[in-house]
Amino acid sequence: MIVAFLKKGILHEMSYRFAFLLEILSILFFILTFYFITKLFGKVAIPYLESYGGDYFSFVLIGIAFSSYMGVGLGSFSGNLRSEQMMGTLEAMLVTPTRVSTIIFSLSAWNFIYATAEILIYLLLGTLLFGVDISNANIGAAFLILFLTLGSFTGFGIISASFIMILKRGDPVNWILGNVSDFLGGVYFPITILPPFVQVISHLLPITYALRAIRHALLQGYSFKMLLPDILVLVLFCVIVLPLSIFFFKYAVKRTKLEGTLSQY
Amino acid sequence: MIETVNLTKYFYSKKTIIKAVDNVSLEIKKGEVFCLLGPNGAGKTTLLKMLATLILPTSGTAYVNGYDITKDEIGVKSSIGFVGGDERSFYWRLTGRQNLEFYASLYNLFSSQSKERINQLLNLLEVELYADRMFVTYSTGIKQKFSIIRALLHNPAILLVDEPTKSLDPRAASHLRKFIKEKLSREQKETILFVTHQIEEAKELSDRIGIMQKGRFQVCEKKEDLEEILEINHEEEGN
């Protein structure tokens, strides 16, 4: 089943080849921007980035790469649902014996593969062209953190899709997490430079723990034991948010079927 | 094959209750072509979508191929093919064949099975020539034929067809009706519930006709009585 969705995603993407090429170029220019910002201000940042090795470019490269991955977890379910509603293909899928939840998950499979490829491009360009050092990385821990991050953001993503199913446009979960996560979660700067009361809010977001842990794992090679506090918080997010998201999703499907708006947009 | 028991669907807006389907009980036998006739907004599509489990009834229920629409969604969906009137329901930048292969996987058909079935259906609907062209290049008539192929992929016992000729020119519409009557009904022995608002279309296609008006339903046992019933309904509505 998932293979069919992936094949469809690849074929669809290949019909827009030029867009894919532009995407790679965008990544390159985005990286270049931060490379030169680091050249300009990098030394000022060193004291704030000691626990990450002191290099701002490495810090921000990993922040950007992984925040886009989290963005996929958060936005792909609702985005795909809305896009299939708009294209008119959702109804055709919903009359097949495949479960709604399977359809929603499978629709996002291609986005996750695409986002994984993007992360690899970020890391490859960063290490090969711009000297980012991940030779001491704890790869096993990085994968575990990635998996847990995906779990918690997928949970929020499914809640977001549930809102889209009912409201069609304007889901608050995606808006709040999408808009504040980059700022409060420490994508571009360590949250320790934020005022203390703002840092409290930062600690309510999974991205804060995910980014800190992934940077420590990749740039400093922290051991599992050293990463345990952040890993435990991510596990907690998964345990709470995932079951909640399934509950919301089932409610949304039932409500839209009662209202007769399941495939409307 | 299809049985509805006091099937009812009300939609609630702020101050009004819209009785889209009001206490409908009907029975469609195996191999029958049953046309559901009525003006726009009569509740025909709502009834069809309830049978396809896309909308939950307010009360009552229906059995499709023996499966309860409120309790056995997967059983119902495995038994039906749904042909909607919306030509957008395909991926326009993929070819017709790629689209059909994708939907075949949603009907749990394995690759080899689906390839064979798709070729068989492309041949049956005489659209092999178009299969490897991008969907966006098709005429409305060809798009509608691909909708029918998609609905037949898993060899369903029942076809639910929602106004497939509404955007076709008269020649293409006539060709499609002929195909449904001769190939699907007579040769393939499909049970077909066909929704339309065109009287002549209903007469041409159906074994029996059901009339829907403002959510209410009545069966027209003899086609000759159709005009008379519609006239009476029209007068009652006027009063």
Side-chain angles (χ1 to χ4, degrees):
Chain A
M1 178 75 56
I2 212 156
V3 176
F5 277 90
L6 286 176
K7 190 179 166 191
K8 191 252 308 170
I10 292 167
L11 289 169
H12 207 255
E13 203 60 47
M14 277 171 64
S15 74
Y16 295 101
R17 275 170 225 172
F18 195 60
F20 182 70
L21 184 71
L22 289 179
E23 184 104 5
I24 306 246
L25 281 176
S26 304
I27 291 176
L28 182 65
F29 282 110
F30 203 42
I31 292 177
L32 275 171
T33 306
F34 282 96
Y35 180 75
F36 286 106
I37 287 175
T38 306
K39 278 208 147 192
L40 193 62
F41 300 114
K43 282 183 184 155
V44 184
I46 292 172
Y48 301 100
L49 302 173
E50 268 175 20
S51 76
Y52 304 104
D55 177 34
Y56 178 68
F57 182 70
S58 308
F59 174 90
V60 82
L61 182 86
I62 289 175
I64 293 165
F66 286 88
S67 71
S68 70
Y69 205 64
M70 293 165 207
V72 170
L74 187 62
S76 68
F77 298 103
S78 55
N80 285 322
L81 188 67
R82 174 126 185 93
S83 145
E84 299 290 335
Q85 279 174 334
M86 303 272 285
M87 283 197 284
T89 43
L90 185 66
E91 187 171 275
M93 285 192 240
L94 295 177
V95 292
T96 68
T98 303
R99 290 181 189 282
V100 184
S101 50
T102 310
I103 290 172
I104 303 291
F105 271 107
S106 305
L107 276 171
S108 297
W110 167 244
N111 299 85
F112 284 112
I113 299 234
Y114 194 88
T116 308
E118 270 193 356
I119 286 192
L120 289 176
I121 291 169
Y122 270 110
L123 292 180
L124 274 175
L125 289 174
T127 49
L128 297 178
L129 299 182
F130 301 99
V132 171
D133 183 11
I134 53 168
S135 54
N136 294 323
N138 183 345
I139 301 291
F143 273 111
L144 176 66
I145 294 157
L146 199 63
F147 179 73
L148 293 171
T149 307
L150 210 56
S152 51
F153 273 82
T154 295
F156 284 114
I158 293 169
I159 295 173
S160 164
S162 310
F163 273 103
I164 283 292
M165 207 174 260
I166 295 170
L167 302 174
K168 311 303 172 195
R169 280 181 75 172
D171 97 81
V173 177
N174 205 344
W175 188 88
I176 293 168
L177 286 174
N179 281 294
V180 303
S181 279
D182 281 6
F183 173 65
L184 294 175
V187 173
Y188 302 103
F189 48 80
I191 61 161
T192 45
I193 66 167
L194 291 168
F197 74 95
V198 182
Q199 286 186 42
V200 173
I201 305 170
S202 294
H203 282 101
L204 297 173
L205 302 170
I207 189 172
T208 306
Y209 303 93
L211 283 183
R212 186 167 61 199
I214 201 88
R215 280 169 175 143
H216 282 147
L218 285 179
L219 297 174
Q220 297 293 90
Y222 272 28
S223 65
F224 278 102
K225 197 178 170 188
M226 293 161 88
L227 292 165
L228 198 59
D230 285 337
I231 287 175
L232 283 178
V233 176
L234 289 173
V235 169
L236 195 66
F237 269 112
C238 288
V239 168
I240 295 169
V241 180
L242 278 174
L244 204 63
S245 71
I246 289 162
F247 169 79
F248 269 111
F249 189 74
K250 282 186 174 170
Y251 169 77
V253 172
K254 191 172 180 191
R255 185 169 154 175
T256 47
K257 279 191 171 189
L258 274 170
E259 290 174 350
T261 58
L262 186 57
S263 54
Q264 287 177 11
Y265 57 91
Chain B
M1 247 315 82
I2 299 178
E3 187 189 0
T4 71
V5 186
N6 300 324
L7 193 63
T8 300
K9 183 67 199 179
Y10 294 166
F11 291 115
Y12 302 92
S13 65
K14 277 175 190 167
K15 284 180 183 170
T16 54
I17 298 173
I18 300 159
K19 295 178 176 179
V21 175
D22 196 4
N23 225 17
V24 171
S25 295
L26 73 90
E27 204 179 331
I28 300 170
K29 297 181 190 76
K30 193 176 179 193
E32 192 176 20
V33 180
F34 191 96
C35 271
L36 203 53
L37 178 69
N40 293 332
K44 309 182 296 293
T45 299
T46 304
L47 175 58
L48 209 67
K49 286 191 174 179
M50 279 197 281
L51 295 177
T53 74
L54 292 172
I55 295 178
L56 280 170
T58 307
S59 63
T61 192
Y63 299 92
V64 174
N65 201 22
Y67 298 106
D68 189 328
I69 58 162
T70 59
K71 291 179 185 149
D72 197 344
E73 194 179 315
I74 302 294
V76 172
K77 286 175 173 176
S78 302
S79 307
I80 59 160
F82 188 88
V83 183
D86 189 356
E87 60 179 69
R88 296 177 315 125
S89 63
F90 283 88
Y91 297 96
W92 284 30
R93 293 184 68 85
L94 304 190
T95 66
R97 191 188 299 278
Q98 286 167 344
N99 266 289
L100 293 173
E101 282 173 357
F102 169 69
Y103 283 107
S105 72
L106 298 186
Y107 284 109
N108 302 314
L109 295 179
F110 294 112
S111 179
S112 56
Q113 260 181 307
S114 74
K115 278 189 169 66
E116 197 184 325
R117 180 73 178 149
I118 288 166
N119 284 331
Q120 192 188 351
L121 290 168
L122 287 169
N123 183 34
L124 183 73
L125 277 103
E126 299 164 359
V127 285
E128 304 101 315
L129 272 178
Y130 301 88
D132 297 306
R133 295 183 198 166
M134 258 198 192
F135 198 82
V136 69
T137 62
Y138 298 169
S139 68
T140 309
I142 299 296
K143 282 175 188 160
Q144 207 51 267
K145 284 193 171 185
F146 273 84
S147 280
I148 295 175
I149 294 179
R150 178 175 60 196
L152 292 171
L153 281 170
H154 57 305
N155 207 6
I158 296 162
L159 264 188
L160 304 177
V161 188
D162 190 10
E163 303 197 44
T165 58
K166 73 176 175 190
S167 25
L168 299 184
D169 62 59
R171 196 165 157 267
S174 166
H175 185 255
L176 190 65
R177 278 195 291 272
K178 201 173 159 200
F179 172 79
I180 290 172
K181 184 80 183 173
E182 288 176 7
K183 296 270 184 183
L184 296 186
S185 173
R186 289 199 190 133
E187 285 180 24
Q188 309 276 318
K189 310 283 181 211
E190 290 279 346
T191 304
I192 302 171
L193 174 54
F194 190 100
V195 164
T196 181
H197 60 263
Q198 298 177 53
I199 299 170
E200 290 311 314
E201 184 167 76
K203 276 179 161 180
E204 185 185 330
L205 267 176
S206 63
D207 296 318
R208 281 193 306 151
I209 298 173
I211 300 162
M212 278 202 83
Q213 196 129 15
K214 291 189 172 177
R216 281 169 299 168
F217 172 80
Q218 73 183 106
V219 176
C220 168
E221 296 294 348
K222 290 180 188 168
K223 287 185 192 175
E224 306 85 69
D225 299 339
L226 185 61
E227 265 88 4
E228 198 182 332
I229 294 171
L230 289 171
E231 189 67 31
I232 294 166
N233 284 350
H234 189 66
E235 279 170 18
E236 280 176 359
E237 206 178 318
N239 296 332

